[in-house]
């Protein structure tokens, strides 16, 4: 789960950065509505944690295969035989630390979703209690007037309605309705909901807060452009004056609606956009479309699949076994980076001169916690090998078809030969 979250966070950040770069390169060269569409790519990436398919060029390949640092050698002595054995430098403690990442993420998501839902339900309940219907033949949506509003608002996903502040002048209604109906045509109630959900899922990422706010600004600019396309360019001055008049009002804000004025800091940008319209260039539009098409596979496909066949992985581990002074070493092959894949049970029996016998086990903590690391060398220290009468390594890997591939190695025979591992028995 930790690997999935890290990969998802990294690729989502790259998607946002790519749109920020494309947005800067195409400034004043594409329409505001086209620029608003660019945010669809990172929004979808932020909402979908899965990576269907695989590609060596996928951005997911940049994510780490494991959050745990790999030690050079993990040494374990027969702790059941030697109370004085040195402690094993196992990554189990680090694994426990990283195991809290999904828990902290889920807790943050729950808090963010609760705040989002509670604020919107409270706002909507207040609005519903104070609203009164208005009649307007030019508005195809239900129209209400509410004294608690400071700015016109489109609210509602399944039954959208336009809400006007109390005392709005008749001369301004034409421009207000044109803007809110542009929000309706663009499907902004849905996109506003998805933005809130994406922000809750990526609450930890400052870039997510910045980009989702910026996408909301681009949505307002797109609606200004859409409204003027309906009203005519000769209404530009009166439309801008309506914006400045409404921006002086203060009121409640919420994630689920689309208001006409928004933040005051946006007003200067929107008025400037009304004065200096983008000089639309077909080449910039084509380049933007090509960039979206080419980047989509890089951002949505999964990492390359380098996993070895299970039988080959078992053979590689068997070949890595070697006897050295003081113990037997083995290395987990690359390609099975998932700790859950490996089940390695190393156990045997030791008999003492007085006739007392007991079982011995190695690396049980790693096996139970699933903290095996690909590419790491492990050593089994056997200072009193003469006391061991049995010592076997039993390994299992899933075969991908619901079964298991197994390998059993007699480590005592390995230590006796000192040059090559004893014959192993395999089962499917």
């Amino acid at each position: 789960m930790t690997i999935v979250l890290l990969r998802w966070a990294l690729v989502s950040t790259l998607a946002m950065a790519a749109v920020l770069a494309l947005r800067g390169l195409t400034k004043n060269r594409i329409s505001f509505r086209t620029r608003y569409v660019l945010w669809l790519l990172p929004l979808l990436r932020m909402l979908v944690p899965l990576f269907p398919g695989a590609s060596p060029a996928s951005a997911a390949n940049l994510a780490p295969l494991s959050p745990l640092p790999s030690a050079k050698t993990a040494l374990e002595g027969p702790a059941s035989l030697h109370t004085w054995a040195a402690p094993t430098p196992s990554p189990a403690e680090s694994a426990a630390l990283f195991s809290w990442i999904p828990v902290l993420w889920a807790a943050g998501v729950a808090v963010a979703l609760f705040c989002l839902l509670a604020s919107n339900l409270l706002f909507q309940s207040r609005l519903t209690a104070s609203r009164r219907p208005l009649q307007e033949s030019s508005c195809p949506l239900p129209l209400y007037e509410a004294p608690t509003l400071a700015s016109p608002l489109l609210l509602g996903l399944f039954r959208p309605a336009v809400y006007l502040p109390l005392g709005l002048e008749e001369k301004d209604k034409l421009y207000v309705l044109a803007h809110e109906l542009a929000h309706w045509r663009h499907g902004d109630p849905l996109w506003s909901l998805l933005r809130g959900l994406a922000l809750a899922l990526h609450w930890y990422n400052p870039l997510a807060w910045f980009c989702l706010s910026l996408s909301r600004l681009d949505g307002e600019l797109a609606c200004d452009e859409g409204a003027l396309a309906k009203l005519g360019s000769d209404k530009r001055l009166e439309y801008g004056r309506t914006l400045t008049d409404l921006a002086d009002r203060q009121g409640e804000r919420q994630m689920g609606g689309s208001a006409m004025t928004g933040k005051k800091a946006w007003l200067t940008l929107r008025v400037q956009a009304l004065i200096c319209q983008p000089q639309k260039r077909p080449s910039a539009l084509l380049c933007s479309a090509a960039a979206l098409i080419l980047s989509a596979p890089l951002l949505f496909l999964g990492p390359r699949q380098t996993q070895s066949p299970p039988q080959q992985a078992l053979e590689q581990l068997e070949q890595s076994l070697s006897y050295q002074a003081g113990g037997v070493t083995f290395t987990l092959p690359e390609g099975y980076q998932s700790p859950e894949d490996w089940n390695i049970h190393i156990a045997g029996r030791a008999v003492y001169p007085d006739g007392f016998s007991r079982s011995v086990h190695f690396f049980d903590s790693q096996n139970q916690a699933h903290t095996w690391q690909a590419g790491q060398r492990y050593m089994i220290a056997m200072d009193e090998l003469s006391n061991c009468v049995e010592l076997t390594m039993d390994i299992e890997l899933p075969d991908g078809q619901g079964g298991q591939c197994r390998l059993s190695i007699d480590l005592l025979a390995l230590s006796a030969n000192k040059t090559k591992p004893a014959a192993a028995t395999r089962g499917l």
Side-chain angles (χ1 to χ4, degrees):
M1 181 64 177
T2 301
I3 302 300
V4 174
L5 290 177
L6 291 176
R7 183 177 295 142
W8 187 23
L10 173 63
V11 179
S12 297
T13 300
L14 292 176
M16 289 183 282
V19 171
L20 283 176
L22 187 59
R23 186 179 181 272
L25 292 173
T26 58
K27 184 178 181 181
N28 296 327
R29 293 179 177 86
I30 58 175
S31 67
F32 292 119
R33 283 175 283 188
T34 302
R35 193 166 77 176
Y36 188 35
V37 172
L38 297 179
W39 292 109
L40 180 62
L41 185 69
L43 179 62
L44 293 178
R45 179 67 279 172
M46 294 170 72
L47 293 172
V48 182
L50 302 179
F51 290 83
S55 171
S58 171
N61 290 307
L62 300 175
L65 295 172
S66 172
L68 299 177
S70 177
K72 291 183 178 180
T73 302
L75 171 66
E76 178 154 316
S80 58
L81 291 174
H82 306 290
T83 57
W84 46 263
T88 303
S90 168
E93 294 183 359
S94 297
L97 176 62
F98 281 102
S99 67
W100 280 96
I101 291 180
V103 178
L104 293 176
W105 170 78
V109 172
V111 171
L113 287 176
F114 174 79
C115 294
L116 176 65
L117 183 62
S119 62
N120 277 277
L121 289 178
L122 180 61
F123 176 83
Q124 192 164 7
S125 64
R126 291 177 179 175
L127 192 62
T128 302
S130 62
R131 72 183 184 184
R132 64 183 183 86
L134 294 177
Q135 298 295 327
E136 182 65 45
S137 58
S138 61
C139 183
L141 299 178
L143 186 63
Y144 298 96
E145 188 178 49
T148 58
L149 280 181
S151 176
L153 177 72
L154 175 69
L155 186 64
L157 181 61
F158 300 105
R159 295 180 180 178
V162 177
Y163 294 84
L164 303 179
L166 191 65
L168 185 67
E169 298 183 12
E170 289 295 329
K171 65 181 180 65
D172 294 329
K173 281 187 179 181
L174 174 65
Y175 309 109
V176 167
L177 292 178
H179 182 91
E180 300 307 327
L181 291 178
H183 276 299
W184 176 51
R185 291 192 300 271
H186 295 173
D188 280 336
L190 174 60
W191 297 124
S192 183
L193 175 64
L194 295 180
R195 277 197 300 265
L197 180 58
L199 188 59
L201 293 174
H202 298 266
W203 56 268
Y204 54 86
N205 192 340
L207 187 62
W209 291 79
F210 174 72
C211 286
L212 292 175
S213 177
L214 200 58
S215 71
R216 188 170 181 175
L217 169 61
D218 286 345
E220 295 299 329
L221 292 169
C223 287
D224 290 341
E225 188 176 67
L228 289 174
K230 291 287 185 179
L231 295 171
S233 58
D234 58 320
K235 303 292 185 180
R236 192 177 308 275
L237 183 61
E238 291 82 357
Y239 185 90
R241 185 178 294 112
T242 300
L243 275 181
T244 55
D245 291 343
L246 292 174
D248 291 333
R249 299 170 178 261
Q250 297 291 334
E252 298 181 73
R253 305 292 303 145
Q254 74 295 321
M255 294 287 292
S258 300
M260 183 173 179
T261 53
K263 300 177 181 178
K264 286 188 175 182
W266 295 351
L267 180 62
T268 302
L269 296 175
R270 293 176 64 184
V271 172
Q272 289 177 351
L274 291 174
I275 298 173
C276 303
Q277 287 293 293
Q279 298 178 356
K280 304 173 187 178
R281 297 182 181 180
S283 59
L285 178 60
L286 291 176
C287 289
S288 299
L292 288 180
I293 295 173
L294 292 175
S295 61
L298 304 181
L299 298 172
F300 285 90
L301 289 180
R304 60 184 179 273
Q305 301 295 322
T306 59
Q307 185 167 334
S308 305
Q311 195 63 49
Q312 180 182 343
L314 293 177
E315 292 175 356
Q316 290 175 359
L317 188 148
E318 180 184 9
Q319 293 169 3
S320 73
L321 281 163
S322 65
Y323 178 81
Q324 300 177 359
V328 173
T329 65
F330 65 93
T331 303
L332 264 66
E334 301 284 352
Y336 266 89
Q337 290 87 357
S338 176
E340 291 78 9
D341 286 343
W342 291 97
N343 182 16
I344 304 175
H345 184 65
I346 305 173
R349 180 164 294 277
V351 178
Y352 293 91
D354 60 2
F356 178 76
S357 67
R358 67 189 302 176
S359 62
V360 291
H361 301 269
F362 299 89
F363 294 109
D364 274 358
S365 59
Q366 281 86 348
N367 204 42
Q368 293 173 5
H370 300 293
T371 55
W372 297 108
Q373 293 294 294
Q376 178 168 309
R377 185 169 65 122
Y378 295 86
M379 174 177 284
I380 306 168
M382 295 184 294
D383 299 320
E384 297 184 6
L385 184 59
S386 59
N387 291 330
C388 293
V389 295
E390 297 177 10
L391 190 61
T392 305
M393 173 187 284
D394 294 312
I395 315 165
E396 291 185 353
L397 274 178
D399 61 5
Q401 300 177 357
Q404 296 287 328
C405 286
R406 297 180 177 89
L407 175 66
S408 181
I409 303 174
D410 186 346
L411 294 178
L412 291 182
L414 169 66
S415 64
N417 293 336
K418 295 186 179 182
T419 54
K420 60 179 181 179
T425 60
R426 300 184 183 85
L428 294 177

